[in-house]
Amino acid sequence: VVSSNLTPHETGLKEWTRARFVGLFGSFASAKSSAVPPEVNTVMPWYELGGMTPEDVGAIYDYLRTLPPRSRYEPR
């Protein structure tokens, strides 16, 4: 499994604002079930992470913006 591009590259999070990033996580905060319908299922545990505070998710966003932009998966 290869993650989505989380760097500030145009194929990743370049166009994402902090509010959009935080809002995506927050949209799962009031979920009543941890079962994700198969048509939208991803490897990301959205319902578990949806309970994070906006401040914590914002800190993750801030960190991701410090990464060097990369256009693709580049193993180290």
Side-chain angles (χ1 to χ4, degrees):
V1 174
V2 177
S3 171
S4 297
N5 187 348
L6 298 176
T7 71
H9 186 270
E10 63 189 34
T11 62
L13 298 176
K14 180 179 181 179
E15 302 299 323
W16 283 64
T17 64
R18 191 175 205 266
R20 179 180 173 194
F21 188 83
V22 171
L24 176 62
F25 283 80
S27 69
F28 290 91
S30 63
K32 299 195 187 311
S33 170
S34 63
V36 180
E39 64 273 9
V40 295
N41 198 9
T42 69
V43 296
M44 186 76 157
W46 289 110
Y47 291 104
E48 288 78 6
L49 297 174
M52 293 175 64
T53 67
E55 294 78 19
D56 286 344
V57 177
I60 293 169
Y61 174 84
D62 293 343
Y63 166 73
L64 293 173
R65 298 300 287 185
T66 70
L67 298 175
R70 298 194 186 267
S71 63
R72 59 183 175 80
Y73 174 70
E74 298 175 12
R76 303 228 171 218

